[in-house]
Amino acid sequence: MSRRRTLSGTAGLSPWKRALTTAGSREAADAVTPERSHVLNEPTVRMTAVRRLYEVSARMGAGRSLAETLQAVVEGVVNGLGFGIAVLNLRQSDGKFEVIAVAGSPEAREALLGTISAGDIFDAEFAIADKWGGLRFVPHERLPEGGEIVGWVPEIPIPSGADAWHPLDALFAPLHSSDGELVGMLSVDLPEDQRRPGQIRRELLEIFATQAGLAIDKARLTDQLLAEKARLEASETTFRMVFEGAGNGMATIAFDGPEAGRILRVNDAFCHITGYTPAQLVGTTFVDYLRDEQTGQTKREIEQLATGRGPYRFERTFRRTDGNDIWLGGTAAIVDQGKDLPRIILIQIDDVTARKDAERELRHHAAHDPLTGLPNRRLLQHRFNAALQRSRQTGRRGVLMFCDLNHFKQVNDKYGHEAGDKALREIADRLLTEVRHGDTVARLGGDEFAVLAEDIDGDDLDVLMRRIDESISKPLDGIDVPVTASIGLAVVSPYAADLDELLRTADNAMYEAKRAYRASL
């Protein structure tokens, strides 16, 4: 016998191997799990795996616990992919791993379930592992000689052949959340055909690992919802609506043949997320519901999916039956159904609209003034860069105006800052009304504003400046302080350097206008 490093907990997959050692032969393995005594052929593995995957998804959609769902994952791996044993480690908040699901041997389940390992338990394995897409395979020949014996190795005949599975080989599938965080580890051993798994079986194992990651994500979301419900003492009806809206949807789509691109099957969660009934979806073309954010996006994603490099992660806008767009996040993978049968795409989705809306809102806040809603200096910089590029391409000139409010300090002193903020919002609205479509009004801070206007000169510029000046000079609601504006100009031409230089030029011109205004009083 040779030593074997720990794969999970303090014994990894060893209890299964221990059971074999006790019996002393391969027949012992058959005695432990008689229902797995035959070797599945490849087409059977494919179809069985897809069927098991549907069963796992159904458990998730039925609101089962995390432990029940992950047990369904490992059982699906053993029964659907033809491995003798599967163990699933869940990563805890402190970084340690706990075995939460085991399939393939009652002895293994009794010995492993609930065991906890250090956070670096897999580091030594992965340091010498081959990368099979998202999987990590540790060949026995890379194990260092003379290592300490930890666990057990079965006394079984070692298969021959270049692709034979050695008793010391190991295969891992890291589990990731939707944002890429490592949340667990799925490890498998003892393939029934005694061979290292081929491409199809590897991809199916990755899909099971993806399903496990989604299950963990869903459980975390459930915990968050429960905590939020307790904290806010939300009504049971509201909580149930939020919880039920977090279901995982699945669908199959034809990839080959005359039906290519058409939806073949959907589950209840998919219908719930998208707003359609099965009758409305089945037979229609899936891409017809998608909106490309970039030209040719769908075509590129299909080409990438067709490379067969495991599950493809995506986030796309989807048109609901009510005409509104939602964001779907999920995975897609091509599944080979066997000889003479068309391949299908298996997709898994969740509604990530809330997260995408939050990201869009954050981007808006990063580029806009929180008081007036006008673009801030960051967004002004972005639009100036584009305007300068267009000016250099066309030779046309524009202007950058620097507007400073006169007497505005008196508004704050007399009426308070709340009234001053209201007045600033009113002035911002007036400026937006007076400028042309395509011009940018930005707030630089305090009572200073900027206006970027492209392709303007002569009389048109005079008219725009007069409109801006007159709009600011109108009496403010409930305020008797006569607020006016001093405006300085800088020309946006092909020879302009950068925004900072033009702002300084416009600022200096504004101060000249302010001195002239004060001299006229």
Side-chain angles (χ1 to χ4, degrees):
M1 292 198 309
S2 176
R3 58 92 192 92
R4 171 73 170 199
R5 279 191 310 274
T6 302
L7 297 186
S8 55
T10 58
L13 302 182
S14 304
W16 169 260
K17 298 188 174 185
R18 184 184 187 187
L20 296 179
T21 304
T22 303
S25 68
R26 177 66 184 181
E27 286 72 24
D30 297 338
V32 173
T33 54
E35 72 279 10
R36 309 300 303 160
S37 61
H38 64 286
V39 177
L40 300 177
N41 57 37
E42 196 70 19
T44 302
V45 168
R46 296 187 188 105
M47 294 307 299
T48 303
V50 172
R51 185 164 56 251
R52 293 293 181 184
L53 196 56
Y54 277 129
E55 293 173 2
V56 172
S57 176
R59 292 199 186 191
M60 288 181 66
R64 300 292 180 91
S65 69
L66 176 63
E68 289 176 317
T69 302
L70 297 185
Q71 185 63 35
V73 170
V74 294
E75 290 173 358
V77 170
V78 170
N79 297 324
L81 298 184
F83 288 97
I85 190 167
V87 177
L88 201 150
N89 291 262
L90 183 66
R91 191 166 186 261
Q92 305 295 337
S93 58
D94 60 1
K96 295 181 179 179
F97 288 90
E98 178 183 359
V99 176
I100 195 171
V102 182
S105 164
E107 291 84 355
R109 179 177 174 84
E110 181 178 356
L112 285 176
L113 199 62
T115 58
I116 297 177
S117 305
D120 61 353
I121 188 67
F122 299 101
D123 292 353
E125 299 282 353
F126 285 8
I128 59 173
D130 288 334
K131 291 184 179 181
W132 289 356
L135 307 180
R136 298 295 182 268
F137 172 67
V138 183
H140 68 280
E141 58 267 21
R142 294 210 190 124
L143 297 173
E145 295 296 332
E148 180 184 357
I149 297 177
V150 180
W152 301 266
V153 177
E155 295 178 354
I156 60 175
I158 298 177
S160 60
D163 65 341
W165 181 275
H166 192 280
L168 297 181
D169 289 340
L171 181 58
F172 302 92
L175 312 179
H176 294 94
S177 65
S178 58
D179 59 4
E181 177 191 1
L182 179 66
V183 294
M185 190 72 63
L186 174 64
S187 53
V188 298
D189 206 344
L190 299 179
E192 289 188 349
D193 59 3
Q194 302 182 43
R195 293 289 180 267
R196 295 178 181 180
Q199 184 67 28
I200 296 299
R201 199 170 295 187
R202 297 178 196 175
E203 291 184 0
L204 291 171
L205 181 59
E206 283 199 63
I207 293 176
F208 273 96
T210 299
Q211 190 77 358
L214 290 172
I216 294 170
D217 255 358
K218 171 173 279 194
R220 288 178 171 179
L221 176 61
T222 301
D223 290 343
Q224 292 171 2
L225 291 174
L226 286 170
E228 187 68 10
K229 175 178 179 289
R231 187 178 71 85
L232 299 177
E233 298 182 349
S235 68
E236 182 63 24
T237 301
T238 301
F239 167 73
R240 188 182 304 113
M241 290 176 62
V242 174
F243 180 81
E244 292 174 353
N248 174 247
M250 294 189 69
T252 57
I253 302 169
F255 187 75
D256 297 318
E259 296 298 309
R262 296 192 180 278
I263 299 173
L264 303 176
R265 182 178 178 181
V266 294
N267 66 359
D268 290 342
F270 191 100
C271 295
H272 177 75
I273 291 171
T274 63
Y276 292 90
T277 66
Q280 290 174 312
L281 289 169
V282 173
T284 61
T285 304
F286 182 69
V287 298
D288 288 346
Y289 300 94
L290 305 180
R291 177 167 61 83
D292 283 359
E293 299 296 318
Q294 301 172 349
T295 303
Q297 180 180 1
T298 297
K299 182 183 178 195
R300 289 193 301 272
E301 290 188 346
I302 292 175
E303 290 174 349
Q304 186 169 348
L305 178 63
T307 61
R309 297 174 183 170
Y312 175 76
R313 295 182 180 274
F314 63 86
E315 287 187 351
R316 296 295 304 272
T317 50
F318 184 97
R319 189 185 70 254
R320 282 176 51 96
T321 183
D322 57 11
N324 295 321
D325 285 343
I326 60 172
W327 276 93
L328 298 184
T331 60
I334 297 176
V335 178
D336 191 340
Q337 301 185 89
K339 185 178 180 181
D340 300 327
L341 292 175
R343 292 175 295 173
I344 62 172
I345 301 174
L346 179 65
I347 70 170
Q348 306 170 76
I349 62 164
D350 279 293
D351 185 348
V352 296
T353 305
R355 175 171 63 81
K356 299 296 288 189
D357 287 345
E359 290 173 356
R360 184 169 56 248
E361 185 175 355
L362 286 174
R363 289 193 298 269
H364 178 84
H365 287 325
H368 291 79
D369 171 52
L371 176 63
T372 63
L374 294 177
N376 60 16
R377 182 162 179 152
R378 179 180 178 182
L379 183 53
L380 177 64
Q381 176 74 67
H382 174 76
R383 293 186 179 176
F384 172 80
N385 292 342
L388 182 58
Q389 183 64 27
R390 286 189 288 268
S391 178
R392 289 172 176 172
Q393 291 172 347
T394 64
R396 297 174 180 171
R397 293 151 47 107
V399 296
L400 179 68
M401 302 183 193
F402 194 109
C403 304
D404 182 82
L405 302 183
N406 300 316
H407 313 302
F408 194 79
K409 183 177 182 302
Q410 297 178 29
V411 175
N412 286 325
D413 292 343
K414 185 174 182 179
Y415 295 95
H417 287 282
E418 184 175 346
D421 289 347
K422 180 182 176 182
L424 286 173
R425 287 192 291 268
E426 183 177 344
I427 290 172
D429 291 340
R430 292 181 185 180
L431 289 172
L432 289 173
T433 301
E434 299 303 329
V435 299
R436 305 168 305 166
H437 178 73
D439 292 344
T440 295
V441 179
R443 185 184 179 210
L444 301 178
D447 58 0
E448 296 177 342
F449 297 83
V451 178
L452 176 63
E454 297 183 60
D455 192 17
I456 192 170
D457 207 346
D459 293 341
D460 291 339
L461 177 57
D462 292 339
V463 170
L464 178 59
M465 289 185 64
R466 184 170 60 254
R467 290 172 58 179
I468 290 174
D469 182 66
E470 290 176 352
S471 69
I472 294 175
S473 299
K474 292 178 181 178
L476 293 165
D477 185 27
I479 294 174
D480 60 7
V481 176
V483 176
T484 60
S486 294
I487 303 175
L489 293 181
V491 177
V492 180
S493 72
Y495 309 103
D498 54 39
L499 179 62
D500 289 340
E501 178 183 314
L502 263 68
L503 281 175
R504 285 193 295 270
T505 300
D507 188 25
N508 291 334
M510 180 275 296
Y511 275 108
E512 290 295 331
K514 188 178 286 287
R515 280 193 288 269
Y517 169 76
R518 289 171 178 169
S520 67
L521 294 179

